Amino acid sequence: LHTAYRRQRQMCIRDRFSNFIWHELEGATKYRLEIYSPDFDAPNFIAVDTTLSATDIFLSLTPNKYQLRLRGINNGYESLPTDPIDFWVDTVSSSQLQIDLLTPSSTTYYSESFNGQFTWSSLPGVSSYEMSLRSGTDYETGSILYTQNNISTTSHTVSGVTFSEGEYVWGVKAIMSQGNTTSVFTNTFMIDGTNPGIPVPQTPADFATVTSPVEFTWTNPQDVGQIQSPVTTHIDIATDVNFTNIIQSSSTQNNSIDLTISQTGTFYWSLYNVDEAGNQSDFSVTREFTIN
């Protein structure tokens, strides 16, 4: 029995979700079936541990990942077990499964230094994933820039594509172990490769004497890029013209800000812009003001 069962340890499962069937083993009068979740090495629970004389059993299992093994028994002897066999139970049809596209996240701005790394959530019972990258925001009509199938993980790095400024849409679908596929799930993202314009200080005027709190105002030039990601203006205030001693730094998406400066003396202020993609402008001209 021991030797014979080692030769026949590949088990035939006709329907992994319900009916389990295996070949009869010569000399065996009973069979011990064990099913653990998620596996035998680190089980969360034992789903089945039973002895039966038939060569099939109908089981109702909760959705999960499982491993099973089977051995033959007669007159107090047991064969070696089969190698563990992985299977999944999922009561949801593939058309109802949801893949969450993680990065790039939806409607996010990236610079032209984007590394081409795409990630998404996993699904049970997946054989592989297929990922496609296209231009524009419409997955169906966008020009295909890159496609890769037979992806075994939930991340993939796109190579050979230049991420120039523009709009992109990417999609992922899963090919299930039983052969059917999920829908294609899509996200859009934008590449902004243009540095924002340099802000122009307005008030306080150069060499002005003011009181605290001080209202700082400026204008921003029009964004000339194809993709215009939101811009944040940063302001630095220092006690020296070289900005080696910055006493206050603030930021806003407005064109003005009120700041309280608790000390008196002569100060210097300068501005720069950073857009949501991470592109940065040069510093503005430096202006001087005095608080008595």
Side-chain angles (χ1 to χ4, degrees), residues 200-268:
V200 179
Q202 297 296 312
T203 60
D206 210 9
F207 307 112
T209 298
V210 297
T211 58
S212 183
V214 182
E215 181 186 26
F216 297 89
T217 67
W218 57 89
T219 59
N220 278 321
Q222 183 177 356
D223 192 332
V224 298
Q226 175 188 350
I227 301 299
Q228 301 175 356
S229 56
V231 172
T232 298
T233 301
H234 297 256
I235 179 171
D236 290 335
I237 300 172
T239 59
D240 64 296
V241 71
N242 294 318
F243 287 82
T244 58
N245 183 35
I246 297 174
I247 62 168
Q248 195 161 345
S249 294
S250 297
S251 62
T252 179
Q253 289 191 338
N254 298 319
N255 281 13
S256 66
I257 191 170
D258 292 338
L259 296 176
T260 299
I261 301 173
S262 59
Q263 59 193 89
T264 60
T266 298
F267 302 93
Y268 303 86

Side-chain angles (χ1 to χ4, degrees), residues 74-278:
N74 71 359
N75 297 325
Y77 294 93
E78 291 188 357
S79 72
L80 291 176
T82 61
D83 290 335
I85 297 174
D86 293 324
F87 70 97
W88 289 259
V89 172
D90 194 340
T91 59
V92 180
S93 69
S94 60
S95 63
Q96 296 173 295
L97 294 173
Q98 173 76 39
I99 300 175
D100 295 322
L101 304 188
L102 304 178
T103 55
S105 56
S106 181
T107 63
T108 301
Y109 297 90
Y110 294 86
S111 71
E112 289 181 336
S113 62
F114 173 60
N115 63 8
Q117 181 75 31
F118 294 78
T119 64
W120 55 89
S121 64
S122 62
L123 291 178
V126 170
S127 174
S128 64
Y129 298 94
E130 181 178 301
M131 179 255 177
S132 182
L133 172 69
R134 308 183 181 195
S135 61
T137 59
D138 190 317
Y139 187 81
E140 297 299 326
T141 62
S143 297
I144 298 175
L145 304 175
Y146 182 90
T147 296
Q148 181 65 49
N149 52 23
N150 294 322
I151 301 173
S152 59
T153 63
T154 55
S155 66
H156 186 72
T157 301
V158 169
S159 59
V161 174
T162 300
F163 288 97
S164 56
E165 186 158 345
E167 297 176 300
Y168 298 84
V169 58
W170 65 291
V172 173
K173 71 177 179 180
I175 293 84
M176 312 304 291
S177 299
Q178 61 268 36
N180 55 327
T181 65
T182 66
S183 302
V184 178
F185 297 90
T186 64
N187 260 356
T188 59
F189 67 99
M190 285 151 283
I191 298 294
D192 184 348
T194 304
N195 289 337
I198 303 171
V200 179
Q202 297 296 312
T203 60
D206 210 9
F207 307 112
T209 298
V210 297
T211 58
S212 183
V214 182
E215 181 186 26
F216 297 89
T217 67
W218 57 89
T219 59
N220 278 321
Q222 183 177 356
D223 192 332
V224 298
Q226 175 188 350
I227 301 299
Q228 301 175 356
S229 56
V231 172
T232 298
T233 301
H234 297 256
I235 179 171
D236 290 335
I237 300 172
T239 59
D240 64 296
V241 71
N242 294 318
F243 287 82
T244 58
N245 183 35
I246 297 174
I247 62 168
Q248 195 161 345
S249 294
S250 297
S251 62
T252 179
Q253 289 191 338
N254 298 319
N255 281 13
S256 66
I257 191 170
D258 292 338
L259 296 176
T260 299
I261 301 173
S262 59
Q263 59 193 89
T264 60
T266 298
F267 302 93
Y268 303 86
W269 64 293
S270 184
L271 307 159
Y272 65 96
N273 283 328
V274 179
D275 64 26
E276 197 168 303

